[in-house]
Amino acid sequence: MPAQDLQSIAAALVAEGKGILAADESFPTIEKRFTGIDIESSEENRRAYRDLLFTTEGVEEFISGVILFDETVHQSASDGTPFPQLLESKGIVPGIKVDGGAKDLALHDGEKVTEGLDGLRGRLKEYYEKGNRFTKWRAVINIGDNIPTEYGIKANADALGRLAALSQEGGFVPIVEPEVMMDGGHSIDRCYEVTARMLDALFGELKRASVDLTGTLLKTNMVLSGVDASERAGVEEVARRTVDVLKETVPDEIPGVVFLSGGQTDEQSTAHLNEMNKIGPHPWELSFSYGRALQAPALDAWKGESSNVEAAQKALYHRAKLNSAARSGSYTSDMENAAA
Ligand code: 13P
């Protein structure tokens, strides 16, 4: 396979009308999702579920890349094709979650730091050979009384900088993902302030790490009121504040910002992205890299039954299509009920 330059991989991932499907749930996370539909998280159920998602006919019209979990990279579709190869054959770029999860930050109550850098250079080599062309690393930033601290932010930014440098050295586009969590009763102003601090620290660190921003994507949260806030901001305010924080902190060289859904409903996630693209143009593409907000309807329709696979695939196709419309600000809520 000819080596692709980082810029063209990044451009493909944020191509017009397309976004990323995050299907990189770790073992505990997929177990949580499967418990919700009352099925066991066995290796075969996980394989069958990812098979369903990736073999959805036409999904490549709206999905540019899929983030895989380590186990999935080594699994195959029912016809025996390894998953990364299956995606590639549909023109979808396979990528890999390489972090080892967010762990408690020592001596810092309530704060997390993401682990997984040790031995990463070697693991990246294997992932590259399997066809993966981008990496993802998620940092978790909790909002609470006196947190995040400067130390917490710095620890996470440092790890993201090292991840991005190692990824580019190995031929991968890094997707750097600082997620300011929605949990809590905080205001949208507080979310804005914390997101701005985190992104500022991140881009400072990427620069010090000599990372090429033109071959990097940012995956981040939208600026939202806390889930338990007494008053929650509406769609227009969320869109405006999110674009504002990006303009304040994200260099123009970044080809795209791909949002996580982070516990928003699928309709909210689509409506927010749509509104941001309506108030464009922006220096970067604004796209999606949703996990729950793309998969929830498919998971509900599937319920672990092979007789429901077609209905689940229809649900995924429909959700992906609506998010594709949100890429150009042309989504409307009437489209929710239109036939897939
Ligand atoms: P959600 O869209 O469900 O937040 O997942 C995206 C993701 O990749 C989290 O790391």
Side-chain angles (χ1 to χ4, degrees):
M1 192 186 308
Q4 254 179 305
D5 63 282
L6 299 177
Q7 290 72 21
S8 60
I9 300 168
L13 288 170
V14 292
E16 197 181 330
K18 292 187 185 183
I20 297 170
L21 167 65
D24 59 329
E25 295 81 6
S26 60
F27 292 124
T29 306
I30 197 74
E31 186 167 3
K32 224 188 300 172
R33 305 278 182 268
F34 280 6
T35 303
I37 54 163
D38 224 10
I39 73 158
E40 190 202 340
S41 178
S42 63
E43 182 179 351
E44 174 50 24
N45 280 344
R46 292 189 296 268
R47 193 208 62 78
Y49 177 56
R50 268 72 184 241
D51 192 338
L52 169 173
L53 297 176
F54 307 159
T55 58
T56 297
E57 214 179 297
V59 78
E60 63 276 13
E61 296 163 44
F62 316 119
I63 299 295
S64 55
V66 172
I67 315 175
L68 300 167
F69 179 61
D70 178 76
E71 179 190 55
T72 321
V73 169
H74 300 96
Q75 289 176 323
S76 300
S78 302
D79 72 357
T81 315
F83 282 134
Q85 241 170 280
L86 169 80
L87 293 169
E88 230 183 285
S89 71
K90 296 174 83 127
I92 296 175
V93 185
I96 175 79
K97 165 199 176 75
V98 293
D99 66 69
K103 305 288 157 61
D104 290 343
L105 181 63
L107 307 182
H108 286 74
D109 235 15
E111 291 191 273
K112 300 276 181 192
V113 68
T114 303
E115 296 186 349
L117 289 166
D118 287 357
L120 182 56
R121 181 180 271 130
R123 282 188 284 134
L124 286 175
K125 259 203 164 101
E126 285 174 36
Y127 289 137
Y128 194 91
E129 280 159 16
K130 295 256 177 207
N132 298 285
R133 290 296 176 267
F134 67 95
T135 58
K136 188 202 87 166
W137 179 285
R138 172 174 176 255
V140 171
I141 310 298
N142 289 322
I143 297 184
D145 292 343
N146 307 314
I147 63 167
T149 61
E150 283 316 302
Y151 178 74
I153 285 187
K154 183 176 178 302
N156 280 292
D158 283 357
L160 283 161
R162 287 184 61 195
L163 165 278
L166 277 164
S167 298
Q168 291 193 337
E169 177 193 88
F172 298 84
V173 167
I175 299 189
V176 287
E177 180 186 12
E179 175 174 2
V180 175
M181 302 297 286
M182 196 170 45
D183 304 333
H186 55 266
S187 65
I188 191 168
D189 289 341
R190 177 87 167 116
C191 179
Y192 184 104
E193 176 233 316
V194 172
T195 304
R197 275 166 64 200
M198 182 63 226
L199 293 179
D200 242 359
L202 171 62
F203 285 104
E205 195 54 35
L206 292 179
K207 192 164 176 218
R208 280 188 289 277
S210 309
V211 169
D212 178 358
L213 296 184
T214 67
T216 302
L217 295 175
L218 171 67
K219 172 162 177 168
T220 194
N221 54 284
M222 298 178 192
V223 175
L224 301 165
S225 315
V227 74
D228 301 321
S230 47
E231 264 180 64
R232 303 196 61 207
V235 174
E236 281 173 28
E237 189 177 1
V238 167
R240 186 170 46 77
R241 302 300 300 275
T242 304
V243 168
D244 283 352
V245 87
L246 298 179
K247 284 203 172 131
E248 190 184 316
T249 56
V250 180
D252 290 2
E253 300 98 285
I254 286 280
V257 179
V258 296
F259 293 100
L260 58 96
S261 58
Q264 303 177 65
T265 65
D266 34 7
E267 293 187 26
Q268 281 169 344
S269 310
T270 309
H272 286 148
L273 177 64
N274 186 64
E275 194 61 31
M276 284 186 244
N277 279 313
K278 257 165 65 180
I279 57 177
H282 306 295
W284 351 258
E285 294 293 326
L286 293 185
S287 186
F288 57 92
S289 173
Y290 297 153
R292 282 162 286 183
L294 272 170
Q295 293 183 47
L299 199 56
D300 276 351
W302 179 50
K303 297 193 179 66
E305 301 285 340
S306 50
S307 56
N308 292 333
V309 164
E310 203 183 313
Q313 291 184 326
K314 265 198 171 151
L316 173 67
Y317 183 88
H318 186 53
R319 204 68 241 156
K321 187 175 178 177
L322 299 184
N323 283 303
S324 166
R327 289 279 280 107
S328 57
S330 59
Y331 159 83
T332 61
S333 56
D334 316 341
M335 292 160 78
E336 288 291 341
N337 299 320

